[in-house]
Amino acid sequence: MKKYLFAFVLLLCSACGNEKDMFQGYVEGEYLYLSSSRSGRLEKLHVEKGEQIQKNTLIFELENASEKHALMQAKGEMQSALAQLNDMKVGKRPEEIAMATAMLNQARAEAKNANVLLKRNEELAAKGAISKQDLDTLRAHAKASNEKVSELQHQVEVYRLPHREQQIESQNAHYEAAKAIVAQREWDLAQKQLFSPSDGLVYDTLYNEGEWVQAGSPVVWLLLQDEIKVRFYIPEELFSTVQYGQNVFVHVDGGIDGTGKEYSATINYIAPHAEYTPPVIYSNETRSKLVYMVEAVPQELLVRKLLHAGQPVSVSLSE
C-alpha cells in the first residue's frame, strides 16, 4: 500500500526579472506499510525510526513458537511417510530377510532329518521291526517339515519383492500430502518475519516490542529510497510546453552537497486535469488561477538518496 507524504506549502510564481520561468515545489516520497499476514506479539523490532536500511534487511519478528512446533511435527510426519514409501519400493529390510532366511535354513535341516528318519524306519517296518502306527507318525512329521520349508521359502521370496503398485501409489500420495503440509507450515513461520523489499528510510515505527499486532496492521512505515520525486505546479498557459519524458532542472537552496548546483530530473507524470491553486496560497493574484500538477524524478540515484521528503525546491523548465 502506498501513500503520498504530507503536502508541503506550495507557492506558484514566475521568477521576477529572471530569464526563465521558475516554479516552487517540494520533494515527495512514497511509503510502504510493512505488515504481517499473521497476528502475534511483537517479539523483536530490528530497526529504528530514521534509520536508513537496505533491501532484505530484517525488519521485525513476531512470536513463532506455535509455528515452529507445527513445522517440526509436519516434518516428522513427512519423514515417516517417506520411510514407509521407500520400504514399499525395496521390500523388507535386510535384517528381516536375514531372519526369515535363517528360519528357512533351520526348517530345511529339520526336514532333511525327518526324511532320513522316515526312510530308515520304512526299511525297518518292512521287516516288522516297528508298528504301522509309529511309521504313520514319522510320515506325518516328515510331510509337515517339508511343507514348512516350502512356506518359509515362499516367505523369503515375498520379503525380497516390493509392495504392489497400488499400495506404492497410495503411499506416495500420502507422502506428497505431507510435503504440502510442511510447505504450508514453513510459509506460516515465514510470515512471522518481515524483510525490507527495498532500500529506504524507516519513517516511523508503530508498535513497541511486547505489544500484540493484528494481522495486516502496519508495524513500520518505510519511505522508499527509489521513489523520491519532485512535485510542482505549472500555470494553465504553460501546460502545452511540458510533456512526458521532458528534462527539467531542480534547484535546491545551498545544494544537497553544498555546491548550490542544480540537478536534472525527468517528468514522469502530468496531471490530465487542471485544478485551482491550492488554498494555502491566499494571494488575490494567484488563488483563482488554474494550474496543472507535474511530477519529475531526479535522474541520479545519489540525488534521490540525499533529497528529503517535504524539502522545498525550485524547478525550471530550461537551464
Side-chain angles (χ1 to χ4, degrees), residues 177-197:
K179 280 177 59 178
I181 293 176
V182 169
Q184 178 64 47
R185 296 293 179 263
E186 289 176 338
W187 187 86
D188 291 340
L189 179 60
Q191 300 311 297
K192 291 303 185 78
Q193 290 183 329
L194 194 70
F195 294 83
S196 173

Side-chain angles (χ1 to χ4, degrees), residues 56-313:
N56 295 326
T57 298
L58 180 59
I59 302 294
F60 65 85
E61 296 179 85
L62 301 179
E63 60 178 351
N64 55 19
S66 61
E67 285 79 11
K68 285 183 177 179
H69 178 74
L71 176 59
M72 185 182 302
Q73 182 179 4
K75 284 184 175 180
E77 293 176 356
M78 181 187 71
Q79 292 171 356
S80 175
L82 178 60
Q84 293 180 37
L85 177 61
N86 291 334
D87 280 346
M88 288 183 174
K89 289 180 177 180
V90 300
K92 292 290 185 179
R93 291 178 298 176
E95 294 82 0
E96 294 176 306
I97 296 176
M99 183 179 298
T101 302
M103 294 174 61
L104 172 61
N105 292 334
Q106 181 179 355
R108 283 173 174 169
E110 292 177 356
K112 182 178 180 181
N113 292 335
N115 290 329
V116 170
L117 182 61
L118 174 60
K119 184 176 181 181
R120 183 182 304 144
N121 280 275
E122 284 178 339
E123 295 174 353
L124 293 174
K127 298 177 181 179
I130 63 172
S131 65
K132 183 178 182 301
Q133 183 178 1
D134 291 339
L135 183 61
D136 290 340
T137 300
L138 291 173
R139 283 175 177 169
H141 178 65
K143 181 180 179 183
S145 298
N146 292 330
E147 289 177 350
K148 185 176 182 180
V149 169
S150 298
E151 179 183 350
L152 290 174
Q153 186 172 355
H154 177 70
Q155 186 178 35
V156 170
E157 292 173 353
V158 170
Y159 275 16
R160 290 194 172 101
L161 294 175
H163 283 63
R164 290 183 301 176
E165 183 177 351
Q166 294 84 348
Q167 291 176 312
I168 294 177
E169 289 180 356
S170 176
Q171 184 61 30
N172 186 66
H174 179 63
Y175 169 63
E176 292 297 330
K179 280 177 59 178
I181 293 176
V182 169
Q184 178 64 47
R185 296 293 179 263
E186 289 176 338
W187 187 86
D188 291 340
L189 179 60
Q191 300 311 297
K192 291 303 185 78
Q193 290 183 329
L194 194 70
F195 294 83
S196 173
S198 174
D199 295 348
L201 170 72
V202 179
Y203 182 77
D204 202 0
T205 58
L206 306 179
Y207 286 88
N208 296 318
E209 292 180 359
E211 292 183 322
W212 181 265
V213 180
Q214 290 290 344
S217 296
V219 176
V220 170
W221 289 6
L222 182 66
L223 180 61
L224 296 179
Q225 195 68 67
D226 295 335
E227 297 295 332
I228 292 294
K229 55 195 172 184
V230 172
R231 176 177 288 179
F232 61 101
Y233 290 80
I234 62 171
E236 183 184 20
E237 58 267 23
L238 294 180
F239 179 68
S240 61
T241 65
V242 296
Q243 58 185 350
Y244 184 87
Q246 178 180 339
N247 286 342
V248 295
F249 301 91
V250 180
H251 307 259
V252 182
D253 293 342
I256 58 176
D257 55 3
T259 64
K261 62 184 290 189
E262 61 184 17
Y263 305 94
S264 297
T266 303
I267 294 178
N268 70 331
Y269 177 76
I270 302 173
H273 303 290
E275 57 186 286
Y276 285 102
T277 302
V280 293
I281 301 176
Y282 293 105
S283 168
N284 290 330
E285 291 77 14
T286 62
R287 65 184 179 185
S288 62
K289 292 183 178 180
L290 290 176
V291 292
Y292 288 84
M293 185 188 73
V294 179
E295 292 180 350
V297 178
Q299 295 174 357
E300 299 180 27
L301 177 60
L302 178 60
V303 173
R304 296 199 296 272
K305 288 185 176 181
L306 294 177
L307 289 173
H308 300 283
Q311 182 178 4
V313 296

